[in-house]
Amino acid sequence: HDLLFLNAGNTFAVHRTPLVKDAEQLGFAHTAQAALDIDDDGDLDLIQVRTGRRLRILRNDITKKGGSIAMKLVGKPGNRQAVGSRVVAKFGAKQSIRHVGASGFGGTAWHRVHFGLGSAKKADKVIVYWPDGGKPTTLSDVKVGSKLVVKQP
């Protein structure tokens, strides 16, 4: 059985789902998986590439209990997708960190940065640390639902 992990605050609720039997029994395994917002509704969906099988898309239609922000980073020539950047979002007493990465075996990376903010109405501060070590870009009071493009200075 596949496992579904739902954020339950300070822990995760684990649910077994009968979507697929054991991978060894079926003779395949997931080659790659990516989390991205396919339907642009502010939550992350999954795409799974499976050896010898059809592509599987798991769209997240769970009722939202909070908001999110998303950012596309644009780097300098030679690294337009800003791979290697680190983004820190501060909201209330919480802080989240995201890294912009490259693709892995059999898949690709989604070059958008996504932060779930829970019940916060905004990110008080978002700081982008660029991969070349240049001056960070700081954004203040980023409202829930924002979809920004941030260009490296």
Side-chain angles (χ1 to χ4, degrees):
H1 289 280
D2 288 337
L3 296 177
L4 174 64
F5 295 89
L6 295 176
N7 186 342
N10 294 330
T11 186
F12 286 94
V14 181
H15 300 276
R16 286 183 145 318
T17 62
L19 295 175
V20 177
K21 293 181 181 178
D22 186 80
E24 290 181 14
Q25 289 177 337
L26 294 176
F28 73 89
H30 300 303
T31 304
Q33 178 169 284
L36 60 150
D37 190 359
I38 297 168
D39 48 5
D40 204 29
D41 65 352
D43 57 28
L44 295 178
D45 310 294
L46 295 176
I47 295 179
Q48 295 176 336
V49 177
R50 304 176 296 162
T51 305
R53 304 285 291 192
R54 294 184 342 182
L55 179 79
R56 180 160 69 176
I57 298 173
L58 302 170
R59 198 173 86 186
N60 181 357
D61 288 332
I62 296 172
T63 303
K64 292 176 189 57
K65 293 184 180 180
S68 64
I69 59 174
M71 300 167 39
K72 177 182 178 184
L73 304 183
V74 179
K76 292 181 177 179
N79 187 9
R80 286 291 186 198
Q81 293 177 326
V83 172
S85 296
R86 181 170 53 99
V87 184
V88 178
K90 298 178 180 186
F91 46 101
K94 297 180 180 180
Q95 173 177 296
S96 289
I97 301 171
R98 301 287 182 268
H99 297 270
V100 177
S103 62
F105 173 76
T108 187
W110 187 47
H111 295 287
R112 252 202 203 162
V113 179
H114 179 274
F115 290 98
L117 300 182
S119 61
K121 301 295 182 207
K122 65 178 181 170
D124 301 309
K125 189 177 285 190
V126 177
I127 306 167
V128 180
Y129 296 94
W130 300 100
D132 66 1
K135 182 180 178 184
T137 300
T138 302
L139 307 169
S140 298
D141 299 324
V142 180
K143 294 179 183 174
V144 163
S146 295
K147 294 174 185 164
L148 308 171
V149 175
V150 181
K151 295 182 180 179
Q152 185 174 5

